[in-house]
Amino acid sequence: MPAGTINLYSDTQTRPTEGMRRAMAAAEVGDEQRFADPTVNALQERVAELLGHEAALFLPSGTMCNAISFRLHVRPGGDEVVLDRTSHPINAEAGGPAAISSAMLRPLDGDGGRFTAAQLEQAIRPPDRYLPRTRLVSVEQTTNLAGGRIWPLEQIRAVLDAARAHGMRAHLDGARLLNAVVATGVSAGEYASGFDTAWIDFTKGLGAPVGACLAASRELVDEAWRYKQMFGGALRQAGIVAAGALHALDHHVERLAEDHENARLLARGLTLLPGVALDPDTVETNIVIFEVEDAPALAARLSGKVELSVLDARHARAVTHLDVGRADVERALEAIGEAAA
């Protein structure tokens, strides 16, 4: 990417800060496979407490958190997972749920990626030897391809109640959970503790280079260790990267509010540009999805100035993050305005 390009492609594009680099360089390490890495152990204990679960497991990526969680819950023989049509396991995990867990996926059309308890009830199949077994419900907080929308706590609880009434398990994809926490004031534990498995990512808005952490009961985490080995996610002296995650939890959570404000600034500015359509009131966190006549052409015209994510022929996504300040947003708006014109 050319120097000076404003990178709004994703919040995964962040680079570790100097303070994070110092913490990583100074990390005490050991063999995490033998529970001998004190920094990894500290991170796992902290995330378990943060999310309201008994234990946690440090993993290389959020995608592996989803993959292991689905494998924990889905039984061979036609089990089905209910989730929103825009969710990450459907769109960005290379068919992993089918390949790894033999899972059928039942997509729902939620509002901004958030389906209701009534929609879940309608999707649950009755016991019948001809039908898949509805086994798991998966919630994405915040939503990604649906625009960074926040699931209200009451809606989550209603979905969980419906799932439990039918003997289902529940999984929380918390890639941007802390964005929801900062935006609403609702604690991570309130959002996550009712799920059987839940995780947070350190490589999105928190700005760490590697890792995510999956939380669950101690029994499920013990089994998750087995799948971590099976899927090739075993680590050794992982305290170096776990230290980056701990630094992020200490220093980069509250500042997510800056990303949200920058996203709102970007959205308000986009609404003033010719040929750009979006509702700025739907921008709740750090993701802005907007419509133009030709999204690939717009991205091409912005090459070297602003990098966006092209979702389809008419929609582009811009994501604010640690490496994008207010001045960058203003420059991006000027460049997008010129390209759109």
Side-chain angles (χ1 to χ4, degrees):
M1 184 185 306
T5 301
I6 301 165
N7 193 339
L8 298 174
Y9 182 83
S10 174
D11 45 8
T12 61
Q13 307 299 291
T14 56
R15 294 159 298 182
T17 62
E18 287 303 315
M20 182 179 288
R21 288 175 184 270
R22 287 193 296 271
M24 294 168 69
E28 186 178 358
V29 301
D31 187 345
E32 65 102 43
Q33 288 289 290
R34 300 176 61 196
F35 309 102
D37 191 305
T39 309
V40 172
N41 293 343
L43 177 64
Q44 291 173 158
E45 292 168 5
R46 183 164 176 181
V47 171
E49 182 178 3
L50 179 70
L51 300 188
H53 285 272
E54 291 180 343
L57 176 61
F58 184 54
L59 291 167
S61 70
T63 297
M64 188 172 283
C65 288
N66 278 340
I68 288 177
S69 296
F70 278 31
R71 188 65 186 85
L72 288 171
H73 301 311
V74 173
R75 303 162 297 186
D79 276 5
E80 189 171 59
V81 182
V82 180
L83 66 179
D84 190 82
R85 188 175 301 279
T86 64
S87 62
H88 198 270
I90 290 180
N91 292 284
E93 297 187 8
I100 295 170
S101 301
S102 301
M104 292 188 65
L105 301 182
R106 184 78 177 273
L108 301 181
D109 290 311
D111 174 18
R114 305 160 300 178
F115 51 86
T116 65
Q119 285 179 287
L120 175 60
E121 289 274 5
Q122 292 172 0
I124 295 172
R125 301 181 190 268
D128 190 308
R129 70 175 183 268
Y130 294 101
L131 301 175
R133 294 174 295 190
T134 308
R135 174 68 170 169
L136 175 68
V137 62
S138 180
V139 166
E140 188 180 66
Q141 177 77 307
T142 64
T143 68
N144 177 7
L145 297 181
R149 305 296 298 278
I150 300 169
W151 280 74
L153 183 59
E154 297 76 14
Q155 189 168 343
I156 286 177
R157 287 174 172 167
V159 165
L160 289 174
D161 287 345
R164 301 308 184 198
H166 292 272
M168 295 174 63
R169 290 195 177 183
H171 171 65
L172 178 65
D173 175 338
R176 295 176 177 85
L177 173 62
L178 296 185
N179 287 86
V181 169
V182 169
T184 64
V186 176
S187 73
E190 287 180 279
Y191 280 129
S193 60
F195 291 85
D196 295 288
T197 47
W199 60 274
I200 58 171
D201 200 301
F202 306 110
T203 70
K204 306 291 194 306
L206 295 186
V210 178
C213 212
L214 172 66
S217 67
R218 196 165 302 280
E219 179 182 8
L220 283 176
V221 168
D222 286 344
E223 186 69 5
W225 272 100
R226 176 179 176 81
Y227 289 121
K228 177 179 179 178
Q229 177 71 24
M230 186 184 299
F231 297 171
L235 303 168
R236 292 299 177 184
Q237 290 71 34
I240 291 173
V241 284
L246 283 168
H247 181 88
L249 289 175
D250 286 336
H251 300 283
H252 294 172
V253 175
E254 294 304 321
R255 64 144 309 279
L256 291 172
E258 299 173 25
D259 298 341
H260 301 169
E261 180 53 40
N262 285 334
R264 288 189 289 269
L265 173 66
L266 178 65
R268 290 192 297 267
L270 287 171
T271 62
L272 303 177
L273 300 181
V276 177
L278 81 155
D279 179 358
D281 291 337
T282 64
V283 178
E284 298 175 346
T285 52
N286 67 322
I287 298 176
V288 181
I289 294 176
F290 59 97
E291 184 176 1
V292 293
E293 183 176 349
D294 188 335
L298 175 66
R301 289 195 293 272
L302 287 168
S303 179
K305 299 178 180 178
V306 179
E307 187 170 11
L308 303 171
S309 173
V310 176
L311 301 183
D312 57 37
R314 296 183 63 87
H315 292 88
R317 185 188 70 165
V319 186
T320 54
H321 52 78
L322 181 64
D323 289 352
V324 173
R326 183 184 181 93
D328 296 313
V329 171
E330 291 170 346
R331 285 175 51 215
L333 282 169
E334 182 178 354
I336 294 170
E338 292 173 358

